[in-house]
Amino acid sequence: MEDKVALVTGAGRGIGRAIALELASKDCAVALNYAHSAEAANEAAAEIIKSGGRAAAFKADVSNAAEVKEMFSAAAASLGSVNILVCNAGITKDALLMRMKEEEWDGVLATNLKSLFICAKEAVRPMLKGRWGRIIAISSVNALRGSAGQCNYAAAKAGMLGFVKSLAREVAAKGITVNAIAPGFIDTDMTASLSPELRAKFIEAIPAARIGTPQDVAKAAAFLASEDASYIQGQVIAVDGGITM
């Protein structure tokens, strides 16, 4: 994959960082997007460069079309035209209905769903020109408690998966695949903050009897980005230890 350029949103830490490092290990050049984690994203880029790869970090609010356009332009100038897009950026706002603010509801939909539309629209044009591309959407982590948080998450996730299937049908004949990954309970900064009792409760519900790692998701993303996955289209791969069974 040495001739490929990947852009990973939300790549400063957690799953996004793991995906960026995994793609770099496959010889992809990697553009690491971040919104707030500048230090972490630049450290990850430096790690890739130190290992002999090509990488650069780019700040952008992925729900803002102008910033996304500027990011893609800067990434292309630095690394080459993006032909692998991994939309990983996502947030949760977990609250009961009476406590959830309208801007919190809107923020989740903007970051988790609208960003996929904006980034994919920017990425597809050069992919069509090159008749090769990979778009991978990473479904954000579920809300943990609040009913409104659950509804908000479900709305964003349903919209994302519907978008993936619709776009996959649109571009399938052009050498572009569009798929999604639905992670289960993954060991990230957010889940690390849970109480030992709640973590144990989640593990008890997982057939694999363990919490997933960011690398588990990264391996699946690298596969979907490869030539080996060229006939996989419009699918959702659950990386969840079997919990959705």
Side-chain angles (χ1 to χ4, degrees), residues 117-207:
F117 162 75
I118 292 173
C119 291
K121 187 174 182 180
E122 198 64 39
V124 159
R125 190 182 303 277
M127 290 181 184
L128 289 171
K129 186 176 180 180
R131 297 195 67 82
W132 195 96
R134 299 285 186 266
I135 297 174
I136 304 163
I138 311 295
S139 174
S140 60
V141 68
N142 203 347
L144 299 172
R145 181 179 62 86
S147 58
Q150 292 284 1
C151 291
N152 202 354
Y153 164 81
K157 183 175 182 179
M160 171 187 286
L161 301 184
F163 181 88
V164 163
K165 291 182 179 296
S166 177
L167 182 58
R169 187 177 293 272
E170 182 178 325
V171 300
K174 307 296 195 302
I176 303 169
T177 67
V178 188
N179 294 288
I181 295 174
F185 192 77
I186 305 298
D187 192 11
T188 62
D189 290 347
M190 192 191 81
T191 56
S193 67
L194 299 176
S195 68
E197 293 77 18
L198 192 53
R199 286 171 67 90
K201 183 178 179 181
F202 274 108
I203 294 172
E204 186 179 346
I206 302 171

Side-chain angles (χ1 to χ4, degrees), residues 19-92:
I19 292 172
L21 295 176
E22 183 66 24
L23 290 174
S25 77
K26 306 297 183 186
D27 296 326
C28 282
V30 183
L32 297 91
N33 158 258
Y34 68 92
H36 306 292
S37 305
E39 184 177 354
N42 280 293
E43 284 178 358
E47 183 176 339
I48 291 170
I49 293 169
K50 186 177 180 179
S51 300
R54 294 195 301 134
F58 301 92
K59 181 178 181 179
D61 173 358
V62 290
S63 67
N64 183 299
E67 291 190 21
V68 167
K69 186 177 185 64
E70 185 177 342
M71 174 178 66
F72 270 83
S73 178
S78 176
L79 302 170
S81 182
V82 171
N83 43 33
I84 298 172
L85 170 64
V86 183
C87 288
N88 166 76
I91 60 172
T92 59

